[in-house]
């Protein structure tokens, strides 16, 4: 006779694995979301200097290009300037107070930690807006 | 996606308009405070060799014991007293983008004092010797260090006849946003390129209470600096080296 209970017992490991797999897909989805700090200016804007997908993939190239434009040619426009990135994305828990953008859990660091990329920008660049 | 980016660029445009209005207002207001150049370069335009920035220091007007230019440079660029850093470096190691030199002639007892900083040489020895290309000269004559490329070999410090460069020995924090600086890189006076690009004068020139410094385009015969250079006798420091310095000094007693 066909024993359903028996079948179910044997199927448990498979069901468990399936659940784990689905869970990991969702977890992965979540990790892919760059969390904007709610207190940042960026959270109030619809998109970045380029569409979000583009920025995720290519921000480093845009930054490199802009840095050379600025340094060698004195082109000081706002788009893709690291200073503007910081100004827009930094957490502002209280007016005129900032959390360094490379601090744990902050905009730059959270994503770079996720992908295991060390950020070297802030050994020279200021990590908060400079208001004075 | 497209609606998003359209509305975003509209937002950006609005922000820029606002910014322009604010800057315009500030320029009007600052009219008397410091001189804005007649034609500030638009932000998106690259610097060109049609301009060569120069500085004329009138030593006879330079106050004895006054170092307002140095303090202003420190505050503007975040070094020395303008920063809380460099706690571990000794007095010979700390950054010195600009210093006041007291010159004493033992033969006749005469003294004078002058500010010394990067002379923004036309044939810059620092650029010549740099093995990585980090030391470079902009089209408008301003000599800078690209810290992204500098390996900290300090060859340029050896080559500079004016001892104008410094090396950063320790981790720094709290830099000025417009002036990144950090451990392992060489640095020197930038002629306040970030200000000049915005049509302002270098911080030292603006701060000098004795009006001893004139900044401007030496390629433009109508600029104040060109007029002064034509009128008063001035010289390059170590002219014998033939570097065609961008910084000139007037009023140095001839011995
Ligand atoms: S003064 Fe020194 S640092 Fe400045 S351009 Fe000349 S050699 Fe280079
Ligand atoms: S210290 Fe940096 S800027 Fe100076 S010569 Fe070496 S690499 Fe070039």
């Amino acid at each position: 006779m066909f024993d359903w209970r028996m079948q179910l017992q044997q199927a448990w490991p498979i069901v468990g694995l399936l659940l784990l797999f689905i869970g990991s897909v969702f977890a992965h989805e979540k990790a892919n979301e760059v969390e904007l700090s709610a207190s940042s200016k960026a959270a109030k804007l619809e998109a970045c200097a380029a569409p979000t997908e583009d920025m995720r993939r290519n921000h480093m190239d845009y930054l490199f290009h802009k840095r050379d434009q600025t340094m060698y040619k004195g082109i000081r426009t706002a788009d893709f300037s690291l200073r503007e990135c910081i100004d827009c994305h930094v957490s502002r828990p209280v007016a005129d107070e900032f959390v360094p953008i490379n601090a744990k859990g902050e905009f730059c660091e959270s994503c770079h930690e996720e992908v295991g990329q060390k950020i070297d920008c802030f050994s020279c660049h200021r990590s908060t807006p400079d208001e004075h | 996606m497209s609606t998003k980016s359209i509305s975003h660029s509209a937002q950006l445009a609005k922000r820029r308009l606002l910014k322009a209005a604010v800057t315009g207002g500030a320029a009007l207001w600052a009219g008397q405070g410091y001189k804005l150049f007649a034609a500030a370069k638009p932000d998106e335009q690259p610097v060109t060799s049609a301009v060569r920035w120069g500085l004329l220091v009138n030593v006879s007007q330079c106050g004895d014991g006054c170092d307002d230019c140095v303090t202003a440079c420190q505050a503007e660029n975040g070094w020395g007293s303008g920063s809380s850093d460099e706690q571990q470096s000794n007095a010979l190691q700390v950054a010195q983008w600009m210093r006041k030199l007291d010159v004493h002639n033992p033969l006749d007892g005469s003294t004078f004092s002058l500010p010394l900083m990067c002379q923004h040489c036309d044939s810059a020895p620092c650029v010549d010797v740099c093995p990585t290309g980090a030391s470079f000269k902009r089209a408008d004559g301003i000599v800078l260090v690209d810290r992204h490329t500098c390996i900290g070999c300090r060859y340029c410090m050896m080559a500079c006849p004016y001892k104008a460069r410094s090396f950063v020995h320790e981790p720094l924090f709290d830099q000025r946003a417009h002036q990144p600086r950090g451990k392992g890189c060489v640095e020197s006076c930038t002629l306040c390129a970030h200000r000049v690009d915005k049509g302002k004068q270098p911080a030292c020139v603006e701060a000098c209470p004795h009006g001893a410094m004139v900044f401007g385009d030496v390629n433009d015969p109508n600029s104040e600096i060109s007029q002064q250079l034509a009128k008063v006798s001035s010289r390059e420091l170590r002219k014998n080296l033939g570097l065609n310095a961008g910084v000139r000094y007037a009023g140095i007693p001839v011995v």
Side-chain angles (χ1 to χ4, degrees):
Chain A
M1 196 180 105
F2 193 76
D3 186 347
W4 280 104
R5 272 201 326 216
M6 208 44 212
Q7 287 291 314
L8 213 59
Q9 262 171 10
Q10 278 167 356
W12 265 124
I14 297 167
V15 173
L17 270 178
L18 214 69
L19 279 176
L20 264 179
F21 175 69
I22 293 169
S24 78
V25 166
F26 279 110
H28 188 65
E29 277 294 305
K30 191 154 182 288
N32 256 346
E33 280 295 319
V34 179
E35 299 245 354
L36 291 177
S37 161
S39 61
S40 69
K41 287 185 187 172
K44 292 163 197 91
L45 293 172
E46 274 190 55
C48 201
T52 308
E53 260 318 307
D54 189 10
M55 286 306 284
R56 267 185 205 153
R57 284 252 156 245
N58 301 318
H59 64 280
M60 63 300 272
D61 296 330
Y62 294 145
L63 282 169
F64 270 36
H65 180 68
K66 185 64 205 292
R67 115 192 157 184
D68 287 349
Q69 296 271 311
T70 304
M71 201 167 26
Y72 292 96
K73 298 186 178 163
I75 295 174
R76 293 178 194 271
T77 48
D79 279 0
F80 307 118
S81 128
L82 181 62
R83 187 178 174 177
E84 295 285 331
C85 299
I86 294 164
D87 187 59
C88 199
H89 281 282
V90 77
S91 300
R92 302 162 182 263
V94 198
D96 290 334
E97 258 183 46
F98 312 104
V99 186
I101 199 145
N102 58 339
K104 189 132 192 76
E106 292 302 313
F107 184 70
C108 292
E109 195 273 350
S110 56
C111 199
H112 275 252
E113 165 145 310
E114 177 74 27
V115 297
Q117 278 286 322
K118 184 168 171 260
I119 320 174
D120 198 26
C121 305
F122 301 104
S123 52
C124 283
H125 287 272
R126 190 186 172 89
S127 55
T128 54
D130 182 2
E131 301 287 14
H132 59 276
Chain B
M1 169 98 71
S2 64
T3 47
K4 250 188 186 178
S5 45
I6 286 167
S7 72
H8 175 60
S9 50
Q11 236 166 352
L12 273 183
K14 219 190 296 173
R15 208 167 66 188
R16 272 183 206 133
L17 214 71
L18 256 173
K19 234 184 201 171
V22 170
T23 333
L28 276 178
W29 169 79
Q32 307 99 319
Y34 53 79
K35 212 176 80 212
L36 289 152
F37 294 100
K41 167 183 90 60
D43 278 347
E44 65 283 355
Q45 244 172 50
V47 296
T48 69
S49 54
V51 172
R52 186 182 180 204
W53 296 120
L55 194 61
L56 175 64
V57 184
N58 195 329
V59 174
S60 55
Q61 267 166 264
C62 183
D64 226 358
C66 166
D67 63 354
D68 288 6
C69 52
V70 181
T71 332
C73 179
Q74 291 177 335
E76 179 67 26
N77 295 301
W79 62 275
S81 63
S83 78
S84 50
D85 306 329
E86 293 189 273
Q87 302 298 333
Q88 297 161 53
S89 300
N90 69 36
L92 288 171
Q93 293 173 322
V94 291
Q96 203 173 45
W97 292 27
M98 187 182 200
R99 59 207 151 114
K100 261 314 274 297
L101 283 191
D102 291 320
V103 186
H104 176 76
N105 183 353
L107 289 179
D108 60 3
S110 67
T111 59
F112 63 93
S113 139
L114 56 77
L116 189 73
M117 68 312 265
C118 170
Q119 306 287 296
H120 298 277
C121 312
D122 188 21
S123 342
C126 58
V127 177
D128 269 0
V129 301
C130 178
T132 64
S135 282
F136 69 98
K137 193 177 67 166
R138 278 192 353 176
D140 59 2
I142 299 182
V143 176
L144 298 173
V145 177
D146 177 355
R147 288 177 176 77
H148 306 101
T149 324
C150 175
I151 52 169
C153 70
R154 287 162 265 185
Y155 206 177
C156 55
M157 291 178 72
M158 296 292 131
C160 174
Y162 306 97
K163 210 175 171 185
R165 294 203 151 181
S166 315
F167 177 77
V168 178
H169 290 78
E170 55 183 301
L172 301 182
F173 309 94
D174 213 23
Q175 295 90 333
R176 298 301 311 271
H178 54 257
Q179 191 50 265
R181 12 187 337 246
K183 183 181 172 182
C185 290
V186 161
E187 54 185 22
S188 55
C189 154
T190 64
L191 216 51
C192 280
H194 63 283
R195 291 171 63 96
V196 172
D197 288 342
K198 297 276 184 192
K200 293 197 258 175
Q201 307 218 5
C204 55
V205 178
E206 198 182 295
C208 177
H210 302 100
M213 285 193 240
V214 184
F215 171 83
D217 176 10
V218 294
N219 282 353
D220 171 8
N222 296 317
S223 67
E224 194 190 340
I225 188 169
S226 296
Q227 309 256 321
Q228 291 261 345
L229 282 169
K231 226 174 16 199
V232 298
S233 125
S234 66
R235 56 183 277 191
E236 292 170 55
L237 299 183
R238 306 211 55 185
K239 183 170 173 42
N240 57 326
L241 297 173
L243 305 176
N244 187 10
V247 182
R248 303 291 166 104
Y249 292 82
I252 292 183
V254 185
V255 193

